[in-house]
Amino acid sequence: MDDTSNLPDAFLEDVSAEHTRRAYATDLDRFFGEETVDRTTVHSVRAEDIQSFVRDMHRRGQSESTQRRRLAALRGFFDWLIQEGITTANPARNPNVQVIPSDTDSSNDSVLDADEVERLIETAGESTTTGLRDQALVLTILYAALRRQEIAALEVDDIRPLGRYWVLDLDDPAGGDTYVRISQTVVDAIERVQNAYDITKGPLWRSHSNQNYGRPMTPDAIYKVVRKVSRRAGVGPVSIDTLRQTGLRLALSGGANLKQVQRHGRFQKSASAARLLNDTQAQNNLEMSAVQFIDHSANADLEAIN
């Protein structure tokens, strides 16, 4: 490799996922701030420089998830530099480099932005052993705004057509009939899982571990999958409720009104849904489900990802 080469460009050529490549390019540019990053530049980077970058993000109000995402780009870049024999150490992995909690961060109301959702979905599908299942899990939670117990309790027969649409039948603690509309994106993702693992009846989500292969996944096991994938994507740790809240926020941003979000999220009190608004303008269209408004720009790329 030429000593004058722009090293981030060479690194990004090895990143296959388009959205990840674009996000990494932005994150590296934010850190280096130079048109050309050569060997001299990367050799000069110390852990203190990266932690200073984190402190600057914190001062500007960047969330923990954003800090982790940008650190993931730097860690991946320096891992690649080591692999290429350009440097011998990864300052971004120094134990003194840590994200700084934001005073406004809360696990109860934090949500991902559209770019983070795209990265999470792509990363979930990358595993050769669990990618189909993990991506379907993320998409189902996101689009159906499911709670922890709801996603874990799903069975094959709970997915059914209702008129022109697809719905998921959910367990209702009150004993009534509850269902939520889902998009074709979710239906296709679940169908890929069923076809790949010959799942025709019973629990929808199955373990791939050597010890419990084929057994139904517990709520805790699904929680751990979401956390693991989000950390790999550099946007975590993300909880199941974070995905649920993110889906509802995306619906609001896309034009769904408060009543639609309340119905889609199965809120008992409208105030619970109102907390998601954040000044988003709601439209008065009660006939369409809130799921129709969820758009994170990754939909068109899902077929290519799989």
Side-chain angles (χ1 to χ4, degrees):
M1 185 181 301
D2 192 307
D3 287 346
T4 62
S5 298
N6 187 39
L7 294 174
D9 288 345
F11 162 65
L12 294 169
E13 289 179 359
D14 289 344
V15 179
S16 58
E18 179 183 351
H19 293 297
T20 302
R21 185 167 59 249
R22 186 171 64 244
Y24 276 10
T26 300
D27 294 339
L28 292 175
D29 182 64
R30 287 179 183 276
F31 176 74
F32 289 104
E34 301 178 14
E35 289 187 9
T36 300
V37 177
D38 56 18
R39 292 170 184 255
T40 301
T41 303
V42 297
H43 287 156
S44 69
V45 176
R46 299 291 181 264
E48 301 82 43
D49 301 320
I50 297 177
Q51 188 58 32
S52 177
F53 178 58
V54 173
R55 285 194 296 271
D56 183 61
M57 286 190 281
H58 176 257
R59 282 194 297 269
R60 289 185 286 108
Q62 300 292 340
S63 68
E64 288 184 64
S65 64
T66 297
Q67 295 175 41
R68 287 192 182 91
R69 188 191 73 208
R70 292 176 180 167
L71 278 177
L74 286 167
R75 286 166 179 160
F77 176 53
F78 278 95
D79 282 344
W80 176 83
L81 291 172
I82 293 172
Q83 179 183 323
E84 294 294 315
I86 296 171
T87 189
T88 59
N90 189 333
R93 294 194 183 278
N94 187 291
N96 292 325
V97 175
Q98 300 287 337
V99 300
I100 302 174
S102 169
D103 295 336
T104 59
D105 277 354
S106 169
S107 59
N108 293 325
D109 59 11
S110 60
V111 295
L112 305 180
D113 61 30
D115 286 339
E116 290 170 331
V117 170
E118 291 169 15
R119 184 179 293 191
L120 183 66
I121 292 171
E122 287 183 347
T123 302
E126 288 174 355
S127 171
T128 57
T129 56
T130 64
L132 288 177
R133 183 203 65 190
D134 295 350
Q135 192 173 75
L137 269 170
V138 169
L139 288 167
T140 305
I141 297 167
L142 181 76
Y143 275 90
L146 296 184
R147 299 177 174 88
R148 183 167 168 160
Q149 294 294 332
E150 291 172 334
I151 185 68
L154 285 181
E155 299 202 351
V156 172
D157 290 343
D158 291 331
I159 307 165
R160 63 182 176 89
L162 181 61
R164 295 181 297 147
Y165 307 113
W166 286 90
V167 299
L168 292 178
D169 286 321
L170 305 176
D171 289 340
D172 186 350
D177 293 330
T178 300
Y179 58 83
V180 60
R181 181 176 163 186
I182 54 176
S183 69
Q184 190 63 46
T185 297
V186 173
V187 174
D188 292 343
I190 291 175
E191 185 176 353
R192 286 192 290 268
V193 175
Q194 290 183 262
N195 292 339
Y197 302 105
D198 194 28
I199 300 174
T200 58
K201 61 181 179 180
L204 182 59
W205 312 115
R206 313 289 178 92
S207 172
H208 287 8
S209 70
N210 293 332
Q211 183 177 1
N212 298 311
Y213 189 87
R215 296 181 62 182
M217 294 180 71
T218 64
D220 187 55
I222 294 175
Y223 169 83
K224 289 178 179 178
V225 166
V226 172
R227 300 283 277 197
K228 181 179 179 180
V229 169
S230 66
R231 287 183 184 276
R232 289 203 335 257
V235 300
V238 166
S239 68
I240 291 173
D241 190 60
T242 299
L243 282 182
R244 166 181 159 81
Q245 301 292 335
T246 296
L248 294 172
R249 180 67 60 79
L250 287 172
L252 281 167
S253 298
N257 60 44
L258 187 59
K259 184 67 175 179
Q260 291 167 327
V261 171
Q262 181 181 357
R263 185 167 58 246
H264 189 65
R266 284 91 59 213
F267 290 108
Q268 294 184 352
K269 296 181 180 180
S270 59
S272 298
R275 283 196 294 269
L276 294 167
L277 273 173
N278 280 4
D279 299 324
T280 300
Q281 292 295 324
Q283 297 178 7
N284 185 26
N285 184 353
L286 300 181
E287 295 182 0
M288 299 178 66
S289 166
V291 74
Q292 290 289 93
F293 297 93
I294 297 177
D295 179 16
H296 50 77
S297 301
N299 297 347
D301 298 323
L302 289 175
E303 185 175 347
I305 292 171
N306 292 286

